[in-house]
Amino acid sequence: MADYLNDMALFVEVVRANSFRRAAEALGMPNSTLSRRISLLEESIGLRLLHRTTRKIELTEAGQLYYERSKRIVEEARIAHEELGEMVAQPTGVLRMSLPVDFATTYLAPLLPEFADRYLGISFDMDLTPRNVDLVGEPFDLAIRMGAPEGTGLITRVVARVSARLYASPGYLEANGEPGHPGDLESHQCLSMSTLPSWTLNSGQEKFSVKVASKYRSNSVAMIRKLATLNMGIAFLPERIVADELAAGNLRQVLPRWIGDPLPVYAVTETRLLPAKTQRFIEFLREKLRDAA
């Protein structure tokens, strides 16, 4: 079928140019190749489409009918191709995303106005949840996940890397003392994410991993941050997540020389073959979050 369509387009070009030579020049292919392709097209149809003479070409009755039908098909294909090209350049549609709440509000929300101005035809449907949505069975274009996502057969692309630091409230540190080394964290209340039972910290060439213990575990960054401001323990979070609490004096950094390993942030999709709206959004996140902290 693909060969028929290609040869149909060649046939239309020959008729429009009224010459194999001029059509071949316009198409950028050898005259002999073009002539052979039209001959093969005639053989496949079983009818002669053109009368060839040394000076000109003429359509047969069958050729006239075939040309009238073919030129409409070729023109429709050209318009479809151009429209799809415009769709890629200026994608439209609803972009349905699943995102962690705190990533969405802290990292993504400030970027959305710029993306929306750049791509006016895209609207957004955002489901803010920590759960791993089913990208096959649920109507999402992509999911954003911190750390390696669960599930097999999914396509992951790193859009950012964020590093956590240690924070606690002045009240907690006054009551419990301030750790001088990551090893001291074992004797403190450490407010940990359910998915992160140990913390790995780096200081120059030195690396230390500590298994943290606490009365409080949560899958919510917002909950961890709030408990830390309420003097309940030491939190291990990216600086941007706690920026407001630091500015207000409700939290302060602990062990400032130590920083966590960069944690990848993934854009997760069901397939590599993505609509333009999804491609542009992933590219935008990579561009804007390259230096995220």
Side-chain angles (χ1 to χ4, degrees), residues 73-251:
I73 294 171
V74 170
E75 184 64 13
E76 286 291 333
R78 182 189 64 79
I79 292 171
H81 187 79
E82 291 177 354
E83 287 178 348
L84 288 175
E86 291 173 2
M87 185 181 294
V88 170
Q90 282 296 327
T92 60
V94 179
L95 183 59
R96 295 179 174 86
M97 301 179 284
S98 171
L99 308 121
V101 175
D102 292 280
F103 179 86
T105 56
T106 303
Y107 290 90
L108 179 59
L111 300 177
L112 277 181
E114 181 180 349
F115 184 81
D117 286 344
R118 189 181 298 185
Y119 300 105
L120 299 176
I122 297 179
S123 56
F124 307 89
D125 186 346
M126 293 172 281
D127 178 50
L128 273 55
T129 175
R131 73 182 180 92
N132 287 308
V133 297
D134 180 3
L135 289 170
V136 178
E138 298 183 66
F140 291 103
D141 296 299
L142 80 157
I144 300 296
R145 289 292 171 257
M146 313 288 286
E150 299 176 5
T152 58
L154 298 175
I155 308 302
T156 59
R157 301 166 179 83
V158 176
V159 295
R161 296 183 186 276
V162 297
S163 297
R165 296 178 183 270
L166 297 164
Y167 302 97
S169 67
Y172 174 85
L173 295 173
E174 183 178 345
N176 298 276
E178 188 162 345
H181 184 271
D184 298 337
L185 292 171
E186 294 180 354
S187 61
H188 281 267
Q189 287 293 326
C190 294
L191 306 170
S192 60
M193 298 292 293
S194 303
T195 56
L196 202 65
S198 63
W199 297 347
T200 300
L201 297 116
N202 300 277
S203 177
Q205 298 299 314
E206 191 177 357
K207 191 168 189 173
F208 194 90
S209 184
V210 57
K211 188 173 178 62
V212 293
S214 173
K215 295 179 181 179
Y216 311 100
R217 288 185 182 274
S218 176
N219 66 349
S220 166
V221 169
M223 186 65 172
I224 295 292
R225 181 179 58 214
K226 185 64 176 178
L227 290 175
T229 65
L230 294 173
N231 311 323
M232 304 301 287
I234 298 175
F236 188 50
L237 297 170
E239 183 177 357
R240 201 178 298 187
I241 294 290
V242 297
D244 290 345
E245 286 73 15
L246 288 172
N250 296 324
L251 291 177

Side-chain angles (χ1 to χ4, degrees), residues 11 41-42 45 47-51 58-60 62-63 66:
F11 171 72
L41 177 62
E42 291 175 318
I45 296 173
L47 292 170
R48 182 166 293 280
L49 302 174
L50 295 169
H51 290 306
E58 292 181 353
L59 287 167
T60 64
Y66 193 72

Side-chain angles (χ1 to χ4, degrees), residues 13-27:
E13 192 66 31
V14 168
V15 175
R16 284 175 173 168
N18 199 31
S19 164
F20 275 94
R21 180 181 56 81
R22 287 195 295 270
E25 289 174 355
L27 293 166

